[in-house]
Amino acid sequence: DAGVIQSPRHEVTEMGQEVTLRCKPISGHDYLFWYRQTMMRGLELLIYFNNNVPIDDSGMPEDRFSAKMPNASFSTLKIQPSEPRDSAVYFCASSSDRGFSGNTIYFGEGSWLTVV
Amino acid sequence: GQSLEQPSEVTAVEGAIVQINCTYQTSGFYGLSWYQQHDGGAPTFLSYNALDGLEETGRFSSFLSRSDSYGYLLLQELQMKDSASYFCASYSGNTPLVFGKGTRLSVIA
């Protein structure tokens, strides 16, 4: 299996621009998670989906952030407009385990976002 | 709510043993996981404890004490390639993993 695939790996954008991050989960996984990692706050859960339906988006920082999962093999995280404080590594992860036991969450390589 | 505390940095000598501690406050606690992350890489699963006691996987072991809300990761026969960040993460059954802020391990010669 190819694992969780994210794109782009690196993006540098100007403040105010729209940013779209993409994720392809592992085939057959019913759960998809978006995490954000910064030095100050560590790994934070932004939102997660089950069978393409958003279950909990309480971690989304503000209305500038939105996420969609139009089908089982694709999800996007969009930031519009972007701000310098959004600079972080954004990880997508997927899981097949309803119980969220840690050994079944697989992370992508991350999208490194820099907003200048 | 959930919160986890772990040291921010640890340094150890190649070939030695190091222990990384984690204390947690997790409502409806089910288990504790450990993840490794090398610089520029993705977090990868190391171990999971749902019951009290020690779980051993090669050079790595993980321990959990539910009564003390405490766990640790033990790395033996340290190698330079073990230099990485290590995260504990708690699992409460109905919510996804919540991660600690990570412990950066530096292995020195």
Side-chain angles (χ1 to χ4, degrees):
Chain A
D1 199 312
V4 177
I5 300 172
Q6 293 186 244
S7 65
R9 287 297 315 278
H10 299 272
E11 177 147 351
V12 180
T13 191
E14 291 186 347
M15 182 174 63
Q17 296 298 305
E18 178 179 292
V19 173
T20 300
L21 308 179
R22 299 173 178 80
C23 176
K24 176 179 167 56
I26 292 173
S27 177
H29 282 188
D30 298 329
Y31 290 85
L32 184 140
F33 311 88
W34 283 100
Y35 284 88
R36 177 173 68 176
Q37 186 174 36
T38 61
M39 288 293 292
M40 290 297 295
R41 301 175 69 88
L43 266 167
E44 304 173 275
L45 178 68
L46 299 177
I47 184 172
Y48 78 97
F49 296 83
N50 177 215
N51 290 324
N52 313 338
V53 176
I55 303 300
D56 184 355
D57 66 354
S58 60
M60 296 286 260
E62 48 197 273
D63 292 345
R64 297 184 298 106
F65 285 69
S66 62
K68 294 182 179 180
M69 192 166 185
N71 57 62
S73 59
F74 184 66
S75 177
T76 60
L77 178 67
K78 187 172 293 187
I79 308 172
Q80 167 62 22
S82 57
E83 297 182 3
R85 60 190 167 128
D86 301 330
S87 298
V89 185
Y90 291 81
F91 286 101
C92 177
S94 70
S95 169
S96 63
D97 184 15
R98 171 62 181 88
F100 300 122
S101 58
N103 60 333
T104 58
I105 290 185
Y106 298 89
F107 284 81
E109 292 297 310
S111 291
W112 294 65
L113 174 65
T114 302
V115 183
V116 297
Chain B
Q2 300 181 55
S3 67
L4 300 99
E5 296 290 330
Q6 53 182 130
S8 58
E9 294 183 358
V10 172
T11 300
V13 178
E14 190 177 17
I17 299 173
V18 70
Q19 178 174 313
I20 300 173
N21 298 319
C22 174
T23 57
Y24 60 86
Q25 291 185 327
T26 302
S27 301
F29 177 82
Y30 267 50
L32 193 70
S33 291
W34 288 91
Y35 278 73
Q36 178 191 60
Q37 184 181 29
H38 285 99
D39 286 347
T44 56
F45 171 78
L46 287 178
S47 68
Y48 173 66
N49 294 69
L51 303 175
D52 285 357
L54 194 67
E55 294 280 345
E56 298 182 65
T57 308
R59 295 187 297 113
F60 293 3
S61 303
S62 57
F63 172 83
L64 177 66
S65 169
R66 298 173 70 97
S67 60
D68 295 322
S69 297
Y70 164 75
Y72 66 72
L73 179 69
L74 191 73
L75 297 82
Q76 303 183 71
E77 300 173 17
L78 280 173
Q79 303 176 10
M80 300 300 286
K81 67 178 182 179
D82 297 329
S83 293
S85 292
Y86 292 84
F87 296 85
C88 57
S90 65
Y91 149 58
S92 66
N94 288 319
T95 59
L97 285 181
V98 174
F99 288 82
K101 291 194 174 179
T103 299
R104 187 171 184 86
L105 171 64
S106 298
V107 180
I108 59 176

